[in-house]
Amino acid sequence: MTASIDNTHFLLRRLHSLFGLVPVGAFLVFHLWENSQSRFGAAHFNETVVGGLQRLNYLPFLELFVIALPLLFHAGYGLAVIGSGRAEPLRYRFLRNRWYWLQRISGVGLMLFLLLHVGMTRIAGMFEPSIRADLFGHMQQSLSQPPVLALYLIGLWLAVFHLANGLSTAAIAWGLTTSANAQRRFGWLCGAFGLLLGAIGMHGLIGFLAAAGGAA
Amino acid sequence: MIRANVELRIRRQDTPGSAPYWQVFNAPVRERDNVISVLMQLRQQPVTADGQRVDPVAFEHNCMEEVCGACAMLINGLPRPSCSALIDELDHPIVLEPLPKFPVVRDLIVDRSRMSEHLQRVKAWIRIDGAWEIHERTQRQSQQAWARNYLYSRCMSCGCCMAACPQFGPDKAFVGPAPLAQVRLMNAHPTGRYDSAERLHAIMAEGGLTDCGNAQNCVRVCPKEIPLTTAIGELGRQTTLQMLKDLFGA
């Protein structure tokens, strides 16, 4: 009896859950951590942070297989199954039900944000060598426009919420937390993790504006 | 004996396919009445608030003590059994609608055969004897295990958890919380556990456990306070282990 692997339904759903945490969620943590170093200024950011990553061997493969493809699968499969639910956040005003609804809203919002975000940085950098050379200056210039800053703040908190809530529901889905108390405790822990991660992200965004110097 | 009149707003529907419509009644209420006893009273004088005599409101009830599940409906917007919904404890006017997500038969009566289909789909029963007789008694279980399992045996298939579930619906594959909780119960039974892999495989297919979205409305609305989300977490663990057994060998 190997029904669960003959039928891909279960494996696909669990893969969707897994990819959301590793590598996509883990990448978000790494990404926000790296960007939080913007406060050390253009020279440090461009040479040590961005330069260090750009000098990695096999970088395009890492970007493709560790970030792009898992993210595309997670987003695509999420979009494909989002129609299997109909949220009623106003009828059932329970916290978890609101999170359920917000998880789906944030997922769709993130896809739109990431199209802009990746387009404005990674894709634009492929055509514009000056962006690659001075990412700090590029980000500082972008974020000093209030609409872009607002967009990034929204995108940041959507991503952080989606990961933190996804972590707490994945723990139920995989069977890490079973009792109501365990689910509640882990939920608060994920909330604290989300707030910390969001703070690191905010610190990074503000760092671009506060730190001195555009082109190093 | 009649203490007051209470305003009832009832969503009615004459036949399964027809359009629903609303009617308002001023129903006489006695002390300690519940929604079903008021509806029974109203059936004797089915006159709307504006004096029009109409067909009596069709509703379903049986045990009148919240153990059969037949009378579940939407009361003031939330799914619950109507026999245990006391008039004194409800906000007025009282709004009654048929239990959502299940097809309406007439007025407040819905067809809950999907519940039964889904219980069958997840094999929510215990095989006592197979093609041959086993002739063995059920094994003993600890008091602690018994106490935990008992919580799930209180399910009366009323459908409130399914009605509140954002992932359950007439056009959706999800089996819903109540059948999943029965898998949890049957898999823990000393005889039922022999078929646990089969039940887990049933809930690892389309519409199974992974279609749960963790909105957790089910556990909030369950009138029997069944720990449905604990069942879902425990089944999450069981299916994770089952997947590993299927992938790497038991």
Side-chain angles (χ1 to χ4, degrees):
Chain A
M1 283 197 296
T2 50
S4 72
I5 50 176
D6 294 338
N7 182 341
T8 53
H9 182 80
F10 185 83
L11 289 177
L12 283 176
R13 291 281 177 132
R14 283 290 168 95
L15 210 57
H16 173 243
S17 172
L18 180 69
F19 277 4
L21 302 178
V22 185
V24 179
F27 171 71
L28 178 68
V29 176
F30 174 73
H31 185 56
L32 295 180
W33 172 256
E34 289 289 272
N35 288 348
S36 73
Q37 297 174 49
S38 59
R39 69 183 294 260
F40 298 110
H44 178 82
F45 190 81
N46 283 339
E47 280 151 39
T48 312
V49 181
V50 182
L53 287 173
Q54 283 173 349
R55 281 190 295 274
L56 277 178
N57 291 328
Y58 311 117
L59 182 63
F61 293 100
L62 292 177
E63 284 182 310
L64 191 64
F65 291 104
V66 180
I67 308 170
L69 291 179
L71 179 63
L72 279 174
F73 173 78
H74 185 76
Y77 193 75
L79 205 58
V81 300
I82 203 169
S84 71
R86 190 171 64 94
E88 294 180 285
L90 295 177
R91 185 187 296 276
Y92 302 105
R93 295 163 177 270
F94 311 120
L95 195 59
R96 286 273 189 187
N97 189 44
R98 292 183 180 187
W99 291 160
Y100 166 90
W101 172 72
L102 207 54
Q103 186 73 358
R104 279 138 189 85
I105 301 278
S106 62
V108 174
L110 269 174
M111 285 180 218
L112 300 175
F113 171 72
L114 286 180
L115 280 179
L116 282 170
H117 174 52
V118 175
M120 279 164 63
T121 53
R122 186 66 184 81
I123 307 289
M126 285 159 71
F127 301 103
E128 194 67 62
S130 67
I131 294 177
R132 276 178 74 80
D134 180 20
L135 195 59
F136 185 93
H138 177 69
M139 288 313 296
Q140 191 175 49
Q141 201 184 5
S142 304
L143 292 173
S144 54
Q145 302 164 42
V148 178
L149 181 63
L151 189 75
Y152 267 75
L153 282 172
I154 294 168
L156 166 71
W157 283 105
L158 286 182
V160 166
F161 167 78
H162 196 84
L163 175 60
N165 188 52
L167 185 60
S168 91
T169 56
I172 303 169
W174 288 79
L176 178 69
T177 55
T178 58
S179 73
N181 279 335
Q183 292 173 3
R184 194 174 307 119
R185 272 196 303 268
F186 192 68
W188 288 117
L189 194 68
C190 292
F193 163 73
L195 287 176
L196 179 68
L197 195 58
I200 292 173
M202 294 268 279
H203 181 75
L205 286 178
I206 294 165
F208 281 111
L209 300 175
Chain B
M1 195 154 118
I2 289 171
R3 213 186 46 199
N5 278 355
V6 65
E7 188 179 323
L8 293 180
R9 293 167 183 269
I10 303 180
R11 203 182 85 183
R12 309 200 53 181
Q13 186 172 328
D14 295 338
T15 57
S18 64
Y21 56 95
W22 288 86
Q23 277 178 347
V24 181
F25 300 89
N26 282 320
V29 174
R30 296 160 303 182
E31 225 167 317
R32 283 182 296 197
D33 255 337
N34 59 54
V35 169
I36 285 291
S37 62
V38 171
L39 285 172
M40 287 170 158
Q41 194 81 3
L42 182 68
R43 191 160 55 183
Q44 295 172 28
Q45 277 298 332
V47 178
T48 63
D50 42 5
Q52 192 192 351
R53 195 172 181 89
V54 294
D55 284 339
V57 178
F59 58 95
E60 209 173 2
H61 74 285
N62 184 27
C63 72
M64 297 298 278
E65 56 178 1
E66 204 193 66
V67 294
C68 79
C71 67
M73 59 180 73
L74 218 52
I75 300 172
N76 289 343
L78 292 177
R80 56 186 293 187
S82 45
C83 68
S84 56
L86 302 181
I87 301 297
D88 286 341
E89 294 169 6
L90 293 174
D91 289 335
H92 295 193
I94 298 169
V95 183
L96 303 180
E97 296 165 77
L99 196 68
K101 315 272 178 88
F102 294 96
V104 174
V105 177
R106 178 170 185 170
D107 293 341
L108 300 171
I109 301 177
V110 295
D111 177 2
R112 253 172 300 191
S113 49
R114 254 172 84 86
M115 170 73 85
S116 168
E117 284 161 22
H118 289 180
L119 285 167
Q120 287 174 44
R121 203 162 117 201
V122 303
K123 303 181 199 302
W125 62 80
I126 288 164
R127 282 192 300 148
I128 296 174
D129 285 321
W132 62 93
E133 282 184 68
I134 295 170
H135 289 307
E136 275 186 38
R137 285 185 186 172
T138 305
Q139 292 162 24
R140 298 290 302 264
Q141 52 181 322
S142 72
Q143 289 293 312
Q144 290 84 349
W146 175 87
R148 282 194 302 273
N149 296 344
Y150 176 70
L151 302 175
Y152 301 99
S153 72
R154 293 180 301 178
C155 180
M156 54 188 184
S157 310
C158 63
C160 288
C161 60
M162 322 267 270
C165 174
Q167 294 287 115
F168 177 80
D171 52 343
K172 317 218 187 319
F174 186 40
V175 291
L180 289 175
Q182 291 308 297
V183 172
R184 153 68 182 78
L185 175 65
M186 303 300 161
N187 279 7
H189 187 276
T191 308
R193 67 195 164 95
Y194 295 129
D195 295 321
S196 57
E198 222 176 310
R199 286 190 206 97
L200 292 179
H201 284 150
I203 63 165
M204 289 163 93
E206 283 83 0
L209 181 72
T210 47
D211 288 32
C212 167
N214 292 297
Q216 301 204 337
N217 290 342
C218 53
V219 76
R220 306 271 171 192
V221 301
C222 176
K224 307 308 283 185
E225 293 175 355
I226 297 171
L228 293 158
T229 49
T230 299
I232 286 168
E234 289 182 14
L235 290 173
R237 192 176 291 179
Q238 289 181 25
T239 50
T240 300
L241 293 173
Q242 187 62 45
M243 174 184 71
L244 294 176
K245 285 179 185 172
D246 292 342
L247 281 171
F248 300 108

